[in-house]
Amino acid sequence: MKLHQSKVKNVNQFTAYDATGVKVNDERFEGSVLVLPNEIHSWRPTSFADLTAEDFAELWGYAPELVLLGTGSKIQFPHPQLYAALSSQRIGVDMMDTGALCRTFNVLTAEDRRVLALVLHS
C-alpha cells in the first residue's frame, strides 16, 4: 500500500509497505529493518519467532521515547520478558501491524518525537 502524507524535511517517513518490505523516503527495504527519524539499519530477527531479549535490549542505546514493533499483516505480541530491558528504562513499546506502524511513525516523527520503528518481514 502506498502512503500519502505531507513531506517532512530531513526526517525519515514511510512511503509504502507490502507483505515483504517497506519504503522509507521512497527507498525500498526488504526483511527486518530498524527505522529512526534520521537513521535506518537492518535488524537481526528474521521472523517474529526469532525475537530475543537481546534484540530489544540493544535498542535503549538509541534513546527512543517509544518503540513501535510492526509484526506484518497481523498484530502479534511478544512476551513482556523480551522487552523488559526497555520497559525498565521507561521506554514505551507498542505492537501493531505494519500498516499501523507506518502511519503512526509518520505522525510521531512529524511531531518531532523520538520514535524507533522495528519492522519484521520474513
Side-chain angles (χ1 to χ4, degrees):
M1 172 173 282
K2 185 172 178 149
L3 300 174
H4 299 280
Q5 78 278 339
S6 301
K7 295 287 183 184
V8 179
K9 293 184 180 193
N10 302 318
V11 175
N12 288 325
Q13 294 274 278
F14 287 95
T15 51
Y17 65 92
D18 61 28
T20 61
V22 295
K23 282 188 177 181
V24 179
N25 301 335
D26 292 322
E27 183 179 347
R28 177 124 179 113
F29 295 89
E30 294 191 2
S32 298
V33 64
L34 181 155
V35 182
L36 292 150
N38 296 341
E39 301 174 49
I40 302 172
H41 305 280
S42 60
W43 196 40
R44 188 208 62 82
T46 57
S47 68
F48 183 82
D50 196 29
L51 287 170
T52 67
E54 291 77 26
D55 295 321
F56 288 99
E58 69 183 32
L59 302 175
W60 75 267
Y62 292 105
E65 296 175 55
L66 177 63
V67 172
L68 305 175
L69 175 64
T71 58
S73 62
K74 293 181 186 176
I75 188 170
Q76 298 182 69
F77 297 91
H79 194 283
Q81 289 178 337
L82 291 180
Y83 54 90
L86 295 174
S87 298
S88 71
Q89 297 293 317
R90 298 190 179 268
I91 298 170
V93 181
D94 198 359
M95 282 55 80
M96 53 192 65
D97 65 67
T98 299
L101 173 138
C102 293
R103 293 184 299 273
T104 303
F105 181 89
N106 287 354
V107 168
L108 292 174
T109 55
E111 294 175 353
D112 202 26
R113 302 292 298 272
R114 185 75 179 152
V115 61
L116 186 152
L118 304 169
V119 181
L120 282 172
H121 284 291
S122 40

